[in-house]
Amino acid sequence: MLLRNTIKSAVAAAMMLGATCLATQAKADAIDDITKAGAINVGIFSDFPPFSSASADMSIKGYDIDVAQAIADSLKVKLNLVSVTGQNRIPYLTDKRVDILMSVGYSKEREQVIDFAAAYAPYYIAVIGPKAMAVKGKEDLADKSIAVNRGTLEDTSLTAAAPASADIKRFDNYNSVIQAFISGQTQLMVVGNDVGAQVLAKQDALQPEQKFQLLTSPSHIGLNKNEDRLKKAVNDAVAKMLADGKLDESSKAWLKTPLNPDNLKD
């Protein structure tokens, strides 16, 4: 009888231990893993200026890096940047090689696989022209020559918006678009704000500026499904940057324009 009771007690203890382990595993999440590691792994495009690219000292800097660092600081952990590509970044996330992804555009297809934190970065297609030229809306594109990258979303957006008299000149890459605009071959150009920022930063004589937007699709931070604590932490960090002006500072520094909160709306 004593032996039987001892065996029963041992079995019960083992079951309780197993249940405790399972409960602990069930509660463990990305925040626990990040805290234990002392670092957050953030997937970035390493050559995606002005959001992320190598600086003169070969460190990666940009708008995305500012936001990623703020998230790491809010969690009191080290920031570990992981270079990803458009093809491998979702698998990197779902395989937990990274904890979050920067610069992810929302789509219903992606939402089937990953989750999205709140929008943090503006992405839009804009008409850019010299400061001296009055262009406020699509009707002002009439009789204007406009450079655009052939077959892109910029091309389709411009084609849909431009009056019939607009002279749309299509080129095979962004460098050609920029050169056509800078050299005066075209009066205007249509590009994404990532490409546009590079032009706005370097052409003091031309004084180019964004005239108006054709399309807005903000960037989100991607994370795995069912990571509610991490999602809240990311959203809180971005909300703090928005409230204290840090996000606006990053926009001015990297995108060369003040942050318009309306551009963070899907």
Side-chain angles (χ1 to χ4, degrees):
M1 180 68 71
L2 180 60
L3 178 60
R4 183 179 297 173
N5 289 339
T6 301
I7 292 173
K8 285 182 177 180
S9 297
V11 170
M15 291 176 66
M16 288 179 64
L17 179 61
T20 300
C21 290
L22 287 172
T24 300
Q25 291 173 1
K27 291 179 181 178
D29 62 7
I31 288 285
D32 294 326
D33 294 337
I34 291 166
T35 302
K36 182 178 179 181
I40 182 169
N41 297 318
V42 179
I44 60 157
F45 294 126
S46 56
D47 188 19
F48 185 42
F51 293 96
S52 53
S53 61
S55 61
D57 63 4
M58 298 310 294
S59 63
I60 304 296
K61 294 182 180 179
Y63 186 101
D64 278 3
I65 311 308
D66 288 353
V67 176
Q69 186 64 63
I71 293 169
D73 291 344
S74 72
L75 295 172
K76 297 180 171 59
V77 296
K78 177 184 175 183
L79 173 62
N80 182 31
L81 299 174
V82 180
S83 181
V84 298
T85 67
Q87 291 71 41
N88 69 22
R89 63 180 182 160
I90 300 299
Y92 266 44
L93 179 63
T94 56
D95 291 344
K96 298 188 176 180
R97 298 175 67 175
V98 298
D99 301 301
I100 60 175
L101 293 171
M102 308 301 292
S103 288
V104 184
Y106 172 82
S107 72
K108 291 183 178 179
E109 292 76 19
R110 283 177 178 162
E111 194 178 31
Q112 301 302 311
V113 181
I114 67 172
D115 199 1
F116 294 86
Y120 76 99
Y123 180 78
Y124 49 84
I125 294 170
V127 175
I128 293 178
K131 186 175 183 179
M133 182 176 291
V135 175
K136 296 182 179 179
K138 59 185 181 181
E139 64 279 357
D140 295 324
L141 299 179
D143 302 318
K144 301 290 194 306
S145 57
I146 312 159
V148 70
N149 195 352
R150 188 190 318 274
T152 61
L153 185 58
E154 292 98 312
D155 188 357
T156 56
S157 298
L158 173 61
T159 301
S165 63
D167 180 14
I168 301 176
K169 296 185 181 296
R170 296 175 173 86
F171 298 87
D172 292 329
N173 54 66
Y174 288 111
N175 284 336
S176 297
V177 170
I178 292 170
Q179 286 305 313
F181 171 63
I182 292 173
S183 67
Q185 185 178 346
T186 64
Q187 296 166 285
L188 303 166
M189 71 173 184
V190 170
V191 293
N193 62 314
D194 52 342
V195 175
Q198 302 175 59
V199 179
L200 297 179
K202 297 177 181 178
Q203 298 300 318
D204 293 335
L206 191 61
Q207 291 187 295
E209 64 180 12
Q210 294 177 5
K211 298 299 186 180
F212 67 95
Q213 296 175 19
L214 291 174
L215 178 147
T216 299
S217 180
S219 293
H220 293 256
I221 295 170
L223 66 159
N224 279 311
K225 293 281 191 180
N226 303 314
E227 295 291 356
D228 295 338
R229 290 175 63 207
L230 179 57
K231 184 174 181 177
K232 182 179 185 304
V234 169
N235 285 343
D236 287 348
V238 172
K240 184 176 184 299
M241 289 189 77
L242 189 59
D244 64 17
K246 296 296 184 183
L247 213 55
D248 182 56
E249 289 178 15
S250 290
S251 181
K252 291 174 181 175
W254 299 109
L255 306 180
K256 306 304 176 186
T257 186
L259 180 69
N260 180 354
D262 286 343
N263 288 331
L264 299 182
K265 298 176 182 178
D266 285 300

